[in-house]
Amino acid sequence: GTAILSDNEVSRAIKSIDKESGRWVVTDDLLLENITSLNGARSLSGVYAYPQLDLWKDIDPKNDEDVYNRYSHVIFTLDRDPSVTQPTKLTLMQTDYFQVNTEPCSDFLQEKNVRYLLTTVALDPADSCATLIRQINYPARSFLIYAIDWPNRR
């Protein structure tokens, strides 16, 4: 009964990509938040049953744990305007849901070893650290998987 989540073209693509080389981030769609984790990949997106204070405090200049000291759904939203540099920040959307707003090539994503992005909204080619490696088209929407190649990767 779980084939809808684990045996489809998107799931097979996630499973085929090296899971040990880095983490994933799912962007722009709360319905997809856990698809990477459900298919064996390490992800920063998804449901956190316990607060992850150490994970999020680096991007919380106000030290306002009220946003992320909770059970929560976490989804990322990427700035897609290459002429603007948006600092990474957390936004509480609902009592059990916060959003991480960041750049596709942000220091935060690099520090957390994010290597793959799953999104339904294309990135601007000017974001040179991200390369489209897979596009999966369904009649209602397309899924895009980007690999991030960090300069001076550790």
Side-chain angles (χ1 to χ4, degrees), residues 43-109:
S43 181
L44 288 181
S45 310
V47 175
Y48 287 89
Y50 299 97
Q52 304 294 312
L53 303 179
D54 289 340
L55 178 61
W56 306 117
K57 71 179 179 184
D58 294 345
I59 54 175
D60 179 31
K62 296 178 192 169
N63 233 357
D64 183 12
E65 290 182 4
D66 290 340
V67 173
Y68 56 92
N69 187 7
R70 63 187 65 242
Y71 158 92
S72 61
H73 298 263
V74 177
I75 194 72
F76 283 70
T77 301
L78 300 179
D79 172 37
R80 288 181 165 79
D81 183 351
S83 67
V84 174
T85 300
Q86 174 181 315
T88 302
K89 68 177 184 174
L90 305 176
T91 305
L92 184 62
M93 306 302 287
Q94 297 174 10
T95 56
D96 66 347
Y97 162 35
F98 69 84
Q99 185 170 285
V100 181
N101 305 294
T102 193
E103 294 286 331
C105 303
S106 70
D107 291 342
F108 175 76
L109 295 182

Side-chain angles (χ1 to χ4, degrees), residues 132-148:
L132 181 65
I133 59 171
R134 211 63 73 77
Q135 181 168 341
I136 300 157
N137 298 313
Y138 287 102
R141 67 187 340 172
S142 294
F143 297 87
L144 307 149
I145 298 175
Y146 289 87
I148 301 176

Side-chain angles (χ1 to χ4, degrees), residues 2-20 22-24 26 31-43 45-46 116 118 134 136 138 143 145:
T2 61
I4 191 81
L5 299 172
S6 61
D7 190 19
N8 59 63
E9 200 171 341
V10 174
S11 296
R12 286 188 291 276
I14 293 166
K15 290 174 186 174
S16 73
I17 295 171
D18 179 14
K19 291 165 198 53
E20 300 305 315
R23 288 179 165 155
W24 288 67
V26 177
L31 295 175
L32 297 173
E33 69 180 332
N34 292 311
I35 195 164
T36 51
S37 296
L38 289 169
N39 287 285
R42 297 181 312 144
S43 181
S45 310
Y116 303 102
L118 173 64
R134 211 63 73 77
I136 300 157
Y138 287 102
F143 297 87
I145 298 175

